[in-house]
Each structure stands twice: as structure tokens, then as C-alpha cells.
């Protein structure tokens, strides 16, 4: 099993550009989440999903959209990139019981 | 807002010594988890302790939980150079829903050979 796969690993955007960060898991987990990690801030929850067709906002959702059309995939869309969105983004999945998160390797995003 | 706060922010010890990290949180929880992050990598789950448990062991790891003080500690015994990493506590808040975990800011642990 590959676990949680994130693409791309690195991305540089200009202010105002849009892009989609991809996340896929092959563990048949119900729950999927997106976090961002900034220096000195730990991880903050952006959006999460408890199953296909169901998404909700986390702590820092502004500027991001998500959808969950299948159990496996949970893409994160940046609508109009801003320098404040420069960060490392992590996707995670978990089973409903106990919510132990399995993380992808992350996407390092720079917005110029 | 973030729930967990780890203490200390950074810790440097000699190989073979024990390392203790503390975590405080604010709300009621279902469980508390500890994760490790090596530089440039994703987080890896280490251990989970449920709200009705007080202590748990896994190999060289010992976790305690005091729900009355809303605090937890992670002890790594007989540290090794490979334990150098950042360690995060994360809480699964009670009240329903699986809205991800709430992470602290982490403790950066350096093991000196």
C-alpha cells in the first residue's frame, strides 16, 4: 500500500494564480483532512471530510476549496494564491475510530 | 485556535539520557496522541492515550495523561540519535464529529551523540 500520496512535492506560484494540491489514499479511510504547517505555528486544520460528498471547514479555511467525490481523493484548491499561503501543506486520512491520522509527505508551496 | 501547547519548545540532551516533553490542552477530549516529524517529512503517529487512561507504554515511550489538569507528558527513555525530531501532541476533541485533530506547536528534540 502506498498510504497517503501528495502531489506535487514542491510548487512555486505567483500571486493570483490558482492551483490544486492532490491527495490520494489507498487505505479505504473515511476521514481525510488538510493541514498547513507554518514555522512556530504547528499544524492548523484547513478543511476536512468525513466521507465522499461531505466536507467542512477547519480552523483556517479562507482562500481554499475542497471536494470529495470519491473515498480515495481529496484535492485542495487555492483559488487566488496569496503570499500568506506560503506554507507546507499536509494531507491526512484516518478511520472513524480514534482518529489516528496517516500523513502524506507534504507539499511545500511558495507564493511570490 | 490551537489547543495543545508543548513544553519545552526545544530540548537538547545526550544520547542515552531520557527526554520528557509536556503538553497542555484546553477542552474535553476523546483521546490525546503524540506524533513525530523528522526534518522535511510528514508526521508519524507514535502513541494514543484515551481520556479514561492515565498511562500508556510503547517500547521506549511512556505517555501520561491528567485530564483534571488537562496535561500530558511524553517520556522517551534511553534516547538515540535517531530520536532527533520534532514531537507534537494532538487532541481529538469530544463533542462529536471527526474534524481532524488539534495540534500543538511542537517540541524540537536534539539528541547529541
Amino acid at each position: 500500500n502506498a498510504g497517503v500520496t501528495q502531489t506535487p512535492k514542491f510548487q512555486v506560484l505567483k500571486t493570483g494564480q490558482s492551483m490544486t494540491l492532490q491527495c490520494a489514499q489507498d487505505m479505504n479511510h473515511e476521514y481525510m483532512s488538510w493541514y498547513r504547517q507554518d514555522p512556530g505555528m504547528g499544524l492548523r486544520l484547513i478543511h476536512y471530510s468525513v466521507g465522499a460528498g461531505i466536507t467542512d471547514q477547519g480552523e483556517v479555511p479562507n482562500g481554499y476549496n475542497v471536494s470529495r467525490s470519491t473515498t480515495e481523493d481529496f484535492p485542495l484548491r487555492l483559488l487566488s494564491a496569496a503570499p500568506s499561503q506560503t506554507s507546507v501543506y499536509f494531507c491526512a486520512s484516518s478511520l472513524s475510530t480514534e482518529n489516528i491520522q496517516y500523513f502524506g509527505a507534504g507539499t511545500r508551496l511558495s507564493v511570490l | 485556535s490551537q489547543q495543545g501547547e508543548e513544553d519545552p519548545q526545544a530540548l537538547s540532551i545526550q544520547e542515552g539520557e531520557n527526554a520528557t516533553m509536556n503538553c497542555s490542552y484546553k477542552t474535553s477530549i476523546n483521546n490525546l496522541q503524540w506524533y513525530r516529524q523528522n526534518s522535511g517529512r510528514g508526521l508519524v503517529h507514535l502513541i494514543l492515550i484515551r481520556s479514561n487512561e492515565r498511562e500508556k507504554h510503547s517500547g521506549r515511550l511512556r505517555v501520561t495523561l491528567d485530564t483534571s489538569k488537562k496535561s500530558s507528558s511524553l517520556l522517551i527513555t534511553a534516547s538515540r540519535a535517531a530520536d532527533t525530531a520534532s514531537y507534537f501532541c494532538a487532541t481529538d476533541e469530544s463533542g462529536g464529529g471527526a474534524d481532524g485533530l488539534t495540534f500543538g506547536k511542537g517540541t524540537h528534540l536534539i539528541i547529541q551523540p
Side-chain angles (χ1 to χ4, degrees):
Chain A
N1 286 349
V4 179
T5 302
Q6 290 184 238
T7 56
K9 288 184 171 24
F10 303 94
Q11 183 70 49
V12 178
L13 292 177
K14 294 181 180 178
T15 297
Q17 287 185 315
S18 63
M19 79 159 294
T20 300
L21 279 64
Q22 301 292 345
C23 176
Q25 54 95 5
D26 61 1
M27 297 175 283
N28 202 30
H29 285 172
E30 300 158 291
Y31 299 160
M32 295 187 76
S33 304
W34 276 102
Y35 298 87
R36 60 177 289 173
Q37 185 176 31
D38 301 295
M41 294 292 293
L43 276 77
R44 292 181 290 171
L45 183 66
I46 304 171
H47 284 286
Y48 64 95
S49 170
V50 299
I54 306 170
T55 64
D56 209 339
Q57 297 180 351
E59 180 186 352
V60 288
N62 292 341
Y64 308 95
N65 274 359
V66 292
S67 60
R68 184 97 180 269
S69 57
T70 67
T71 300
E72 294 79 19
D73 299 301
F74 191 43
L76 178 72
R77 297 183 186 84
L78 279 69
L79 309 173
S80 178
S84 61
Q85 293 178 305
T86 293
S87 188
V88 182
Y89 291 85
F90 289 100
C91 178
S93 70
S94 64
L95 290 169
S96 58
T97 53
E98 298 192 316
N99 211 5
I100 293 175
Q101 308 267 304
Y102 294 80
F103 283 86
T107 295
R108 189 174 296 273
L109 176 69
S110 293
V111 182
L112 306 177
Chain B
S1 60
Q2 287 186 291
Q3 159 123 277
E5 291 290 338
E6 285 92 342
D7 171 53
Q9 291 186 349
L11 179 62
S12 180
I13 62 173
Q14 294 295 121
E15 194 167 18
E17 294 180 337
N18 296 341
T20 299
M21 289 158 268
N22 302 298
C23 168
S24 61
Y25 59 92
K26 298 176 183 174
T27 65
S28 296
I29 61 172
N30 294 320
N31 64 63
L32 184 143
Q33 304 175 34
W34 285 90
Y35 288 78
R36 183 186 72 222
Q37 183 180 35
N38 290 93
S39 181
R41 310 290 288 273
L43 280 73
V44 175
H45 179 261
L46 293 176
I47 193 167
L48 176 151
I49 187 165
R50 299 180 184 88
S51 61
N52 62 353
E53 297 176 316
R54 293 297 167 258
E55 186 170 314
K56 202 158 183 182
H57 296 254
S58 177
R60 294 185 295 114
L61 305 180
R62 182 173 78 99
V63 171
T64 62
L65 179 65
D66 186 337
T67 53
S68 67
K69 296 181 179 177
K70 291 186 167 56
S71 67
S72 173
S73 67
L74 171 68
L75 169 67
I76 303 173
T77 61
S79 62
R80 306 166 181 170
D83 295 329
T84 293
S86 292
Y87 292 82
F88 295 87
C89 68
T91 51
D92 184 16
E93 297 178 12
S94 56
D99 52 351
L101 299 177
T102 303
F103 284 83
K105 297 179 182 180
T107 292
H108 185 50
L109 176 65
I110 297 173
I111 308 300
Q112 306 278 6

